Amino acid sequence: MARRNKIYEGKAKVLYEGPEPGTLVQYFKDDATANNAEKRDVVDGKGVLNNRLSEFFMTGLGNIGVPTHFIKRLNMREQLIRQVEVIPLEVIVRNYAAGSMAKRLGLEEGTRLPRPLVEYSYKEDALGDPLVPEEYILAFGWATQQDLDDILSLALRVNDFMSGVMHGVGIRLVDFKIEVGRLWDGDYMRLVVADEISPDSCRLWDVETGQKLDKDVFRRDLGNLTDAYTEVARRLGVIPANSAHPKPTLIN
Ligand code: TMP
C-alpha cells in the first residue's frame, strides 16, 4: 500500500498531500495543548468532534458566500481542503472581553465590548504568537493594506455568521480566532478562511448559565473537554441529540 506524504504536523492537526494537485487532507488529532504547548494532553474524541464542527461551520460559511478552504469531509478525522498560502497571522475577533484581552486591560471577563474588535497575532510558536499592530504587518510584508481590508471584512462576516448560529442554540460567541490563506486562480488571488473553526479556537459560553463549552475547559481545568464539545455539537445538530459521545454514533 502506498504511504501518503505528510506535509506538516501541527499541535492539533496533520496535513497530508491530497489526491489532486492543489488539495490537502487535513487530519484532526486528539491532542490538546494550551499556553503555547506548556500544558498538553490527549483528549479522547476531540479530533472527531472538531472535524465535524469545522465541517459544519465552513459549509455554513460557504453557503452564505464566505470563501473557505474546505472541500468535503472524508471520514471521521479527515477532510479534503484546498492548499492555500497561509498568512502568518492569527486573526482574533472579540465580542466580549475574555482571556488575554481581559488580563491586558484589567476588564472583567464577559464585559460586552462597544463593537466587535479585530486584532492580529503573529503566528510564531517560538515567540508565543505575539499581538502585533497593523503597522508591523505592513512593514514586515506579512500582508498588504488590501489584504488587511479583505481580512477585516472576512473576519466580521465570520463573526456575524458564527454569532447568529451560536445564539440560535443558546451559546454566546465571546471571541474566536481564524486563519486566512491565499488561494491562487491563475493570476488572480483571493483570500479564504483556512485552518479550522471549532471550540478549540473559539470561546463559547452558555447564554443562561455562563458555562464554558470551549478549550478554556482544558486550559483552566474546568472539567471534561469532550463533554463540552459534544454539547456544542449536539445543540447544533451535528451529532444526534441523544449522543453521549461521538464514537458510537459517528460511523463516517
Ligand atoms: P486570547 O484571549 O488567548 O488572546 O484568545 C482569543 C481567542 O482566540 C480565543 O477564542 C482563543 C483563540 N486563539 C486561538 O485559538 N489560538 C491562538 O493562538 C490564539 C492567540 C488565540
Side-chain angles (χ1 to χ4, degrees), residues 90 92 94 98-100 129 175-177 200-203 219:
E90 314 243 323
I92 296 166
R94 300 180 188 272
S100 68
D129 298 336
D175 58 28
F176 66 95
K177 180 264 310 188
D200 266 12
S201 51
C202 301
R203 282 199 172 90
R219 294 188 192 98

Side-chain angles (χ1 to χ4, degrees), residues 126-238:
L127 302 172
D129 298 336
L131 188 66
V132 287
E134 288 194 17
E135 187 83 358
Y136 289 18
I137 297 170
L138 299 173
F140 291 115
W142 299 326
T144 64
Q145 186 60 60
Q146 179 65 57
D147 291 336
L148 282 179
D149 293 348
D150 292 348
I151 290 171
L152 180 67
S153 136
L154 265 183
L156 292 176
R157 291 178 77 193
V158 174
N159 187 43
D160 283 347
F161 171 77
M162 293 287 295
S163 295
V165 166
M166 288 303 180
H167 184 74
V169 295
I171 294 174
R172 178 191 294 184
L173 179 66
V174 172
D175 58 28
F176 66 95
K177 180 264 310 188
I178 55 167
E179 295 185 24
V180 174
R182 295 178 205 282
L183 190 59
W184 291 93
D185 185 3
D187 288 343
Y188 292 93
M189 186 276 291
R190 62 189 178 129
L191 297 177
V192 304
V193 179
D195 192 53
E196 72 178 294
I197 302 180
S198 74
D200 266 12
S201 51
C202 301
R203 282 199 172 90
L204 305 170
W205 296 359
D206 181 85
V207 166
E208 296 294 327
T209 65
Q211 187 193 354
K212 294 183 187 0
L213 299 169
D214 56 65
K215 205 164 107 180
D216 274 348
V217 171
F218 172 74
R219 294 188 192 98
R220 304 181 186 187
D221 292 319
L222 299 175
N224 184 303
L225 194 67
T226 312
D227 287 350
Y229 289 19
T230 301
E231 175 65 17
V232 175
R234 236 195 271 138
R235 287 197 200 183
L236 292 169
V238 168

